[in-house]
Amino acid sequence: MNRKLGLAVASIFLGATAAVAVPATAQAAPAATWQETGQYYSTSSRCWADEDYYMAASNVYDYDCRKSGSLWAGWVYAD
């Protein structure tokens, strides 16, 4: 009788612990930042011509061309 009782208690205990959901650890998505592409262009129009190439990436949200000395630099807003 004690053995049956022990097994019943064990199965209830194990069943109860198995049913407890453990919350997943929340991970914050990486923050998007402005990042230089590393590409430099002699004209603004050449810089903007590469916009579609960079915007095709799933983690790129915006593209910009900024004056850098006498050249134009490509920038992406990405995570």
Side-chain angles (χ1 to χ4, degrees), residues 2-72:
N2 285 340
R3 181 171 183 197
K4 287 183 182 179
L5 181 60
L7 289 176
V9 169
S11 66
I12 292 170
F13 178 78
L14 291 175
T17 57
V20 173
V22 177
T25 57
Q27 294 181 354
T33 58
W34 280 103
Q35 305 166 33
E36 220 171 336
T37 65
Q39 297 295 317
Y40 295 90
Y41 307 88
S42 57
T43 65
S44 172
S45 60
R46 286 186 183 203
C47 182
W48 284 107
D50 277 355
E51 179 181 16
D52 289 340
Y53 171 78
Y54 288 103
M55 291 299 293
S58 63
N59 67 325
V60 174
Y61 307 106
D62 200 4
Y63 181 82
D64 194 19
C65 292
R66 300 177 185 175
K67 192 76 169 160
S68 178
S70 62
L71 300 174
W72 289 86

